[in-house]
Amino acid sequence: DIGDPPTVAGSRGGLDEESAAAFDSYVERKAKELNMDMAAILTTYGPGAPRGAGGGGRGLGGGAGGTGSGPTSGQLNRWVPGRVPTAMEFIQSQRRRQMLITAWQEYLKDIDLYIGAADTGVHAQTGHPVAVLQMGFGIRANNGRGGGRGGRGGDSTRAAVPTPPPIPLKAQPICTQVAGNLYLDDVILSFAHKYQINTTWHLERPTLG
């Protein structure tokens, strides 16, 4: 047990801002195609935009710089949110990101790697290497898909609302994550390779169709 991982409030990656800068000319072109000015683009596709029928954002990030969840039009909901944060907000978040990196270095100072890193999103901020390793093949938990909430609460005299049958699931890869200290990519990859040459899980393929 290595204890609870460190957190730093306000820390986040800079992917939204980087992508906004990289796709600036694309966003400008799409705005003209849609006959929308930039204020309308920010309202429709920026952070906090209402979720549309075209699909939501990736759910990454948070606060003013989080990826938007508005309708998708040429991936504008991915490239627009990073235009919103001020320079000061971005710099402050990156200073906190550096604090998070330092905290994780202290956290893992005596550890080469650990198995079962359930929340590896933080490593996208800290740069710690992570490998996804297949450790099984079978039916995953349903996670509530295809069924109702059980009809709890409300008027018990009312007829129960029929629930649709559960969606049949197929066997698929079951994975874990192996994460480790900075610059130990070779150790993690060697560990994953050693595991795979002694198992066959990575050779299993799900049935399509």
Side-chain angles (χ1 to χ4, degrees):
D1 185 2
I2 60 175
D4 295 331
T7 59
V8 175
S11 170
R12 62 177 176 82
L15 182 59
D16 284 332
E17 289 81 1
E18 291 283 357
S19 60
F23 289 91
D24 176 46
S25 60
Y26 173 81
V27 171
E28 296 279 358
R29 176 165 56 83
K30 289 295 293 184
K32 292 180 181 178
E33 290 178 7
L34 297 171
N35 196 27
M36 299 171 68
D37 60 21
M38 197 51 60
I41 288 289
L42 292 175
T43 300
T44 306
Y45 299 101
R51 184 174 296 277
R58 294 163 296 166
L60 301 176
T67 300
S69 58
T72 301
S73 179
Q75 304 299 321
L76 286 180
N77 62 329
R78 292 178 182 266
W79 316 135
V80 170
R83 305 171 76 95
V84 175
T86 65
M88 185 184 76
E89 289 171 336
F90 176 71
I91 291 173
Q92 292 286 44
S93 71
Q94 297 310 295
R95 286 174 172 170
R96 292 182 173 92
R97 181 183 181 186
Q98 182 61 49
M99 293 167 60
L100 182 65
I101 295 172
T102 302
W104 269 84
Q105 275 301 90
E106 177 64 22
Y107 178 62
L108 296 178
K109 64 179 181 180
D110 299 320
I111 297 172
D112 290 333
L113 60 85
Y114 62 101
I115 306 170
D119 183 10
T120 55
V122 67
H123 299 306
Q125 292 190 46
T126 64
H128 288 80
V130 180
V132 179
L133 188 61
Q134 191 168 319
M135 65 171 189
F137 190 81
I139 303 297
R140 290 179 176 272
N142 197 316
N143 293 326
R145 291 187 299 162
R149 290 179 291 179
R152 293 178 293 175
D155 185 357
S156 61
T157 65
R158 296 178 60 185
V161 178
T163 58
I167 300 173
L169 300 178
K170 297 181 179 180
Q172 58 183 299
I174 299 174
C175 302
T176 187
Q177 288 77 236
V178 182
N181 220 326
L182 289 176
Y183 314 118
L184 292 186
D185 306 58
D186 58 329
V187 174
I188 293 176
L189 291 173
S190 296
F191 173 88
H193 177 64
K194 188 71 172 180
Y195 180 82
Q196 287 189 332
I197 63 176
N198 285 280
T199 62
T200 59
W201 299 120
H202 61 289
L203 302 177
E204 301 284 350
R205 297 291 185 272
T207 302
L208 303 179

